[in-house]
Structures are given as structure tokens and as C-alpha cells.
């Protein structure tokens, strides 16, 4: 009988039939051909497996009763995960394509036509609606889906349930947006109905996959995950309302969505779906990237409930709208201020982070975005104030949401790909173009009130500044994602952008070195960390300085070379 104090190397040497059990739990060549000379109870603790379960499976293998289905299943999952490594790039590419066409470019054209006509009502409302739809479902929706499919399974330490379903999600949403863009203005009723069904199916798949990830994960839930759950739930609500709007246009043979329904959908999209997801990622990554003080969890929790309660107070019952709008405005203001204070965006930093190869300009976007969030909640946001509606919506969509997306994307997507950003100077230029565009958005409110030509011109200029910033962002990001990461080999030295998993694949016996060097989370992981995790990312996640860890690793690597 195998017992907990036996050495792993002795078990593999004396009982070769037990090797598949160790492979199932991620031995990955650790300790040489026979495994590490450590007791079984230490192996179980390091690989996050219950000791009685491991001992039982080893004894089953010893008796010839253990089957390798789990091993084969794990192999199949590994193959699917390897293919899924590139999934987010397809979503990002589709999001950028929508942004550069029906998104920011059409928006800039609409503003230019408004400036020429000197009136916000002289262009078709249909063009405004397909622009807004493409921005929420296409530009931001596809972007969030891609990042979520890549990051959330890794946060929860499970594989993507189905790569085929994720690809179907992408194809359906892109097809739905393309069909909607042409079917709505031309009044092609059946195609319009089909677009709503495709978008509803895509969102349904997305919601289902994330629900499976949450259910399959054995990781303890963290407080920020409620924001992700709320975002996904509001996205489902938005898809249903979008389908209802399409069905209504189909039945009435119209090409426009009624104003109140359109306003409610925009509210749910910007405040419910997108903002909740941004809040979740802000809580998860910004403290480590910006060296922020400890997060005030109670304040973040309070902000969550107040923010989502405010959404329910917008347009729920027409005859009480004025009173509930006032309640919603106060809830949004308190929630936003609580969240900003909880994260500590504008508080004194715990530490200043300087990393070779990383331009901290990405933080400028973060500060600009949260500044716009505070500004937005200080002004009303609903269709009953038509003179402020366009300014307020664009302030939220471009000032807050786009700023945060650009800032976080400039920082995390190079990490996903294991490379540095292609062009830091292009990131800086895109920031100033974006900042100029967001500042000029304020002219939209004043031009609607005072009807002065120069203010209309400013509004048009803001559209083209933002479009130029998005184009520069797309160019810079796409070249970054096309760059192939330097693969770690036995001739390499450990660097900040070295992927932890590649390091462990070449030197599996360095796992204890990483653990003692400060990456204690490896001791509780059954397998190697997600492939996008670099040494710099892991060190910041554990709150340690990566420099001593790199020095220690390179000393150990030199000892292992002939």
C-alpha cells in the first residue's frame, strides 16, 4: 500500500503504473525522470490536491483499477486551451474594425453633418441609432467579450468550456452587427429581425460560457466578481430589449426605435453592462499596475449596490419618472465617489512602479477616465433633457468608458501576448488626441443651448480627434498583438516579460525557487499558471519587487547550465 510519507521518486521508480496519476496532477517533469525526492504529502500540498484522494488514486493504479480517462480529458483540455490562446485576438480585431467604421468614423461624420446643418435634428435618427448600437455591441461588446474569455477562465483557474461556442459567439455577433447596420436604415424587415436573433444568440452563448466557468471553478469567490456577474446579467437584459426593439420595428414596419426605449437601452448598455465590467477589472488589476493603496472593500461593495440600484430608477415607470430620475442621479453620484475612493485612484500611491519596457502613459488614460466618471455623474443623464443628452452620453461613452478601455488595453494586452507595446510614442499621441476630443465634447451641450456656429464646429472637431485616437490605438495594438513573444529556452535568461509557465517547462525544478522568492501562490496551484502570466505580472500580483526574484532565478539557471 502507498502511504503519505513515501517519496514521489520512490513511488515512480518502484511502481511505474502510478506515473499517469502524477501526470494528471501536473508533475510536468519536476525533479527529473522519477519525480522529486519529496514526501507525497508535500507534493499534494504543492499541487493543490487532497492527500487522501491522491493516495487513493495511487493505490487504485497499483492494483490496476485506475483508468486514464481523466488524463486524456486533461490532454484534450490542454489542446483546446492552446488554441484558445489566440481567441481574444480575433475578438479584439473585430472590435477595432467596428470602431473604425460604423463606430467612431460614422460618429465623426454625423457630427460633421450636424456642424454643416447647424442643427442636431437635421440628420436621420436612424444613423445615430446604428452608430450607438455598433459602439455598444460592436466596439465595446466585442472588446469585453474577448478580454473576458481570455482573463476570466484564468482568474478562476479553469479552462474555457468550449472554444467552438466562443467562436460561434464571435461569428454571430459580428454578423448581427453587419446585418443591422444595413437592414435598419434600408428597412429590410426580415434581415433586421435576423440581426436581433443573431445578437441575442451570441450574448446568450457568452452568458452561458461565463456561468459555466463560475460553476466549474473551485477558486474562492472574490468581492469584485459581483461586478462581473452584474455586467453579464445587464448584457443579457440589453440583448432581450434589443430583440424587442427589433421585433417592434418589424411589426410596425418602421426603421427607428422609440425614444424612451432607446434611452433605456443606452442606459443599460453604458451603466449596467459596460461600467460594471470596467469596475470589476479596475478592482482586479489597477492596484497592482499603479501601486495603489489597499482597496476599501466595504466602499466598493456599497458602490456596487448603489450603482445598480440607480439603473433601475431610470425609465422604469413613465408616470414617476421625474422623482425616480432625481433618486437615480443621487445614487449614481454617491456610488461613483465611493468607488473612486475605494480604489484610491486619486489617493497617494503605495509605491511608484517603474518597469523597463513599460511606458506609464497608460495611467494617464485611467486618471482621465475616472475624472470623466465624476464629471458625468454631476450632470443629468436621460432623454428628457434633450439639450444635454448628446453631451452626457458621449461624456460617459468616450470620456469614461473609452479612456479606461484604452488605458487598460495598452497595459494588459501586451502582457497577454508576452511582449512590450509596439510604440510608446504612438500611445502618447493617441492620449493627447483623445484628451482633446473628450474636452471638446462639452461644446456639444453649449452648442445645443446657444446655437452658435463655432460650438457646432468644436463638436465636429471632437469627433475627428476621437476617431484619430482610435485609429492610432488600433494600429499600435494590432502591431503589438502580431509580434511573437520570445520563447524561453535553456540558453535564455529570466526577464520581466518571461512567462512563468515557459520557465517551468524548461526548468520544472525552479518551482520551489519561485515560491521561496515570493510567488507563494504557486504552492497552491495544481498546474502551471496561465500562459500569459509573466514574472513581472506575477511579482506585482504578489506585491513584491521583481528585481531580487530575477537575480535569484538567473543565479539558479546559471548553476544548472553545463
Amino acid at each position: 500500500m502507498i502511504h503519505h510519507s513515501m517519496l514521489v521518486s520512490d513511488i515512480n521508480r518502484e511502481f511505474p503504473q502510478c506515473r499517469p496519476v502524477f501526470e494528471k496532477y501536473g508533475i510536468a517533469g519536476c525533479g527529473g525522470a522519477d519525480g522529486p525526492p519529496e514526501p507525497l504529502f508535500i507534493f499534494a500540498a504543492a499541487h493543490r490536491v487532497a492527500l487522501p484522494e491522491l493516495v487513493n488514486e495511487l493505490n487504485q493504479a497499483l492494483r490496476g483499477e485506475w483508468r486514464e480517462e481523466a488524463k486524456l480529458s486533461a490532454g484534450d483540455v490542454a489542446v483546446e486551451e492552446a488554441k484558445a490562446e489566440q481567441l481574444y485576438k480575433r475578438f479584439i480585431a473585430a472590435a477595432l474594425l467596428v470602431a473604425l467604421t460604423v463606430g467612431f468614423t460614422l460618429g465623426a461624420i454625423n457630427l460633421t453633418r450636424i456642424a454643416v446643418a447647424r442643427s442636431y435634428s437635421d440628420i436621420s435618427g436612424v444613423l445615430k441609432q446604428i452608430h450607438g448600437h455598433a459602439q455598444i455591441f460592436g466596439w465595446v461588446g466585442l472588446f469585453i467579450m474577448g478580454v473576458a474569455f481570455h482573463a476570466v477562465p484564468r482568474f478562476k483557474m479553469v479552462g474555457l468550456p468550449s472554444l467552438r461556442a466562443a467562436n460561434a459567439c464571435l461569428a454571430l455577433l459580428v454578423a448581427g452587427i453587419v446585418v443591422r447596420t444595413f437592414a435598419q436604415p434600408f428597412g429590410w424587415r426580415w434581415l433586421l429581425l435576423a440581426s436581433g436573433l443573431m445578437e441575442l444568440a451570441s450574448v446568450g452563448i457568452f452568458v452561458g460560457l461565463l456561468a459555466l466557468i463560475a460553476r466549474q471553478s473551485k477558486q474562492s469567490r472574490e468581492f469584485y466578481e459581483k461586478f462581473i456577474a452584474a455586467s453579464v446579467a445587464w448584457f443579457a437584459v440589453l440583448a432581450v430589449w434589443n430583440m424587442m426593439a427589433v421585433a417592434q420595428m418589424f411589426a410596425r414596419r418602421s426603421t427607428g426605435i422609440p425614444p424612451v426605449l432607446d434611452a433605456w437601452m443606452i442606459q443599460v448598455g453604458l451603466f449596467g453592462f459596460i461600467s460594471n465590467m470596467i469596475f470589476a477589472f479596475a478592482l482586479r488589476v489597477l492596484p497592482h499596475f499603479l501601486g495603489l493603496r489597499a482597496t476599501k472593500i466595504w466602499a466598493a461593495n456599497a458602490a456596487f449596490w448603489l450603482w445598480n440600484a440607480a439603473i433601475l430608477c431610470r425609465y422604469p415607470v413613465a408616470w414617476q419618472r421625474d422623482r425616480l430620475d432625481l433618486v437615480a442621479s443621487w445614487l449614481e453620484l454617491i456610488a461613483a465617489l465611493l468607488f473612486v475612493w475605494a480604489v484610491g485612484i486619486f489617493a497617494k500611491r503605495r509605491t511608484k512602479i517603474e518597469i523597463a519596457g513599460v511606458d506609464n502613459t497608460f495611467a494617464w488614460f485611467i486618471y482621465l477616465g475616472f475624472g470623466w466618471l465624476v464629471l458625468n455623474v454631476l450632470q443629468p443623464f436621460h432623454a428628457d433633457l434633450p439639450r444635454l443628452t448628446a453631451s452626457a452620453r458621449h461624456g460617459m461613452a468616450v470620456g469614461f468608458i473609452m479612456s479606461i478601455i484604452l488605458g487598460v488595453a495598452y497595459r494588459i494586452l501586451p502582457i497577454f501576448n508576452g511582449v512590450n507595446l509596439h510604440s510608446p510614442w504612438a500611445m502618447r499621441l493617441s492620449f493627447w488626441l483623445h484628451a482633446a476630443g473628450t474636452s471638446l465634447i462639452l461644446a456639444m451641450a453649449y452648442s445645443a443651448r446657444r446655437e452658435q456656429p463655432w460650438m457646432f464646429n468644436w463638436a465636429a472637431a471632437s469627433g475627428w480627434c476621437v476617431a484619430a485616437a482610435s485609429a492610432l490605438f488600433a494600429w499600435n495594438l494590432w502591431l503589438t498583438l502580431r509580434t511573437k513573444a520570445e520563447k524561453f529556452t535553456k540558453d535564455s535568461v529570466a526577464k520581466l516579460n518571461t512567462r512563468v509557465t515557459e520557465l517551468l517547462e524548461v526548468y520544472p525544478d525552479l518551482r520551489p525557487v519561485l515560491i521561496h522568492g515570493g510567488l507563494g501562490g504557486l504552492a497552491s496551484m495544481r498546474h502551471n499558471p496561465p500562459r500569459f502570466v509573466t514574472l513581472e505580472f506575477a511579482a506585482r500580483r504578489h506585491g513584491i519587487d521583481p528585481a531580487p526574484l530575477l537575480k535569484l532565478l538567473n543565479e539558479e539557471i546559471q548553476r544548472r547550465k553545463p
Side-chain angles (χ1 to χ4, degrees):
M1 296 286 292
I2 292 174
H3 53 82
H4 69 278
S5 62
M6 292 180 68
L7 300 182
V8 174
S9 54
D10 289 345
I11 296 173
N12 277 322
R13 188 163 43 250
E14 295 179 28
F15 311 112
Q17 61 268 44
C18 291
R19 289 178 183 269
V21 178
F22 286 112
E23 291 173 5
K24 169 188 174 182
Y25 291 111
I27 193 169
C30 180
D34 294 324
E38 63 183 13
L40 197 57
F41 65 86
I42 293 181
F43 177 88
H47 289 259
R48 203 179 185 185
V49 56
L51 181 60
E53 177 184 345
L54 177 60
V55 172
N56 182 53
E57 290 191 39
L58 288 170
N59 281 304
Q60 285 180 349
L62 191 62
R63 298 190 299 267
E65 299 172 359
W66 190 79
R67 297 292 180 265
E68 297 191 38
E69 289 83 3
K71 174 191 170 186
L72 295 176
S73 175
D76 293 340
V77 169
V79 170
E80 189 163 341
E81 285 182 347
K83 294 178 181 178
E85 284 289 326
Q86 303 302 314
L87 175 66
Y88 75 95
K89 294 183 180 180
R90 294 193 286 274
F91 276 90
I92 299 299
L96 294 175
L97 186 60
V98 173
L100 295 178
T101 52
V102 194
F104 295 111
T105 303
L106 178 59
I109 292 172
N110 286 344
L111 286 173
T112 302
R113 294 180 60 190
I114 288 170
V116 171
R118 299 290 187 265
S119 171
Y120 281 98
S121 58
D122 271 16
I123 71 167
S124 169
V126 175
L127 293 178
K128 298 175 186 176
Q129 288 183 356
I130 63 173
H131 157 72
H133 177 269
Q135 290 289 72
I136 292 176
F137 279 85
W139 151 235
V140 183
L142 286 166
F143 206 100
I144 285 178
M145 282 180 169
V147 173
F149 277 145
H150 194 81
V152 173
R154 288 154 177 82
F155 290 164
K156 303 302 294 177
M157 297 303 297
V158 296
L160 184 66
S162 172
L163 180 61
R164 181 177 298 178
N167 282 321
C169 178
L170 171 63
L172 285 167
L173 189 54
V174 171
I177 293 167
V178 172
V179 172
R180 173 70 169 269
T181 301
F182 292 98
Q184 185 173 346
F186 289 106
W188 297 336
R189 296 171 61 238
W190 289 101
L191 286 177
L192 186 61
L193 190 63
S195 73
L197 290 170
M198 287 188 286
E199 290 166 349
L200 181 62
S202 174
V203 174
I205 294 172
F206 175 70
V207 172
L209 288 176
L210 289 193
L212 281 175
I213 290 169
R215 190 175 67 181
Q216 293 174 2
S217 175
K218 296 181 180 180
Q219 298 285 104
S220 58
R221 294 186 179 179
E222 298 190 47
F223 73 97
Y224 69 86
E225 292 181 28
K226 66 171 70 70
F227 287 94
I228 297 178
S231 171
V232 172
W234 282 119
F235 198 17
V237 170
L238 179 62
V240 172
W241 276 86
N242 178 64
M243 185 66 231
M244 291 174 62
V246 166
Q248 192 176 55
M249 287 188 286
F250 177 85
R252 296 181 178 180
R253 297 179 179 271
S254 66
T255 58
I257 303 173
V260 173
L261 178 57
D262 186 46
W264 169 238
M265 289 172 61
I266 293 173
Q267 177 78 10
V268 169
L270 298 184
F271 282 68
F273 163 46
I274 302 171
S275 294
N276 272 300
M277 190 66 76
I278 285 177
F279 291 154
F281 274 81
L283 291 167
R284 182 64 171 79
V285 302
L286 291 187
H288 310 294
F289 287 157
L290 298 178
L292 304 178
R293 60 158 171 76
T295 301
K296 308 291 185 183
I297 296 178
W298 72 267
N301 288 335
F304 168 81
W305 294 110
L306 293 174
W307 185 265
N308 287 280
I311 301 171
L312 295 173
C313 293
R314 298 289 191 192
Y315 310 102
V317 283
W319 56 87
Q320 292 183 351
R321 189 181 307 154
D322 293 338
R323 182 180 301 174
L324 290 176
D325 276 337
L326 181 61
V327 172
S329 295
W330 278 106
L331 291 176
E332 289 166 1
L333 176 60
I334 297 170
L337 294 178
L338 270 175
F339 186 86
V340 170
W341 181 70
V343 181
I345 293 295
F346 300 114
K348 184 179 180 180
R349 292 193 190 185
R350 173 177 50 84
T351 181
K352 186 177 182 181
I353 298 177
E354 297 288 345
I355 302 172
V358 176
D359 190 317
N360 284 333
T361 302
F362 79 92
W364 301 356
F365 290 92
I366 305 299
Y367 295 133
L368 177 65
F370 279 100
W372 265 102
L373 174 64
V374 174
L375 180 61
N376 281 316
V377 295
L378 290 173
Q379 61 179 322
F381 179 87
H382 52 83
D384 295 328
L385 292 179
R387 294 183 181 276
L388 287 176
T389 298
S391 174
R393 288 176 178 174
H394 285 82
M396 191 69 183
V398 180
F400 169 57
I401 291 172
M402 183 180 175
S403 296
I404 301 299
I405 288 179
L406 264 60
V408 173
Y410 271 133
R411 187 65 181 89
I412 68 170
L413 292 184
I415 291 176
F416 284 0
N417 201 36
V419 299
N420 291 329
L421 184 67
H422 175 74
S423 175
W425 71 262
M427 175 171 63
R428 289 172 177 257
L429 179 56
S430 69
F431 171 79
W432 291 114
L433 286 168
H434 178 68
T438 54
S439 300
L440 292 172
I441 284 173
L442 292 173
M444 296 173 69
Y446 292 105
S447 62
R449 281 185 173 275
R450 300 179 182 276
E451 303 290 344
Q452 294 189 15
W454 64 272
M455 292 182 176
F456 282 107
N457 294 337
W458 278 15
S462 74
W464 289 110
C465 284
V466 171
S470 67
L472 201 56
F473 167 75
W475 171 80
N476 200 2
L477 200 61
W478 184 243
L479 289 181
T480 300
L481 296 181
R482 288 187 61 188
T483 304
K484 291 187 177 180
E486 177 184 352
K487 189 170 179 61
F488 189 83
T489 66
K490 284 188 176 291
D491 296 325
S492 304
V493 295
K495 301 177 183 178
L496 288 172
N497 63 351
T498 297
R499 301 187 183 196
V500 176
T501 293
E502 289 186 358
L503 176 70
L504 291 175
E505 287 172 348
V506 176
Y507 296 107
D509 55 338
L510 285 181
R511 192 182 190 94
V513 177
L514 288 167
I515 294 172
H516 291 297
L519 305 188
L522 285 171
S524 60
M525 293 177 64
R526 177 177 296 180
H527 303 293
N528 288 335
R531 192 164 289 273
F532 75 85
V533 175
T534 63
L535 288 171
E536 180 266 325
F537 182 88
R540 299 301 177 192
R541 183 76 176 93
H542 285 77
I544 65 171
D545 182 0
L549 178 61
L550 286 178
K551 181 181 178 182
L552 176 63
L553 283 172
N554 284 316
E555 288 175 354
E556 293 295 327
I557 288 171
Q558 288 301 318
R559 289 180 186 177
R560 286 159 174 74
K561 290 184 177 180

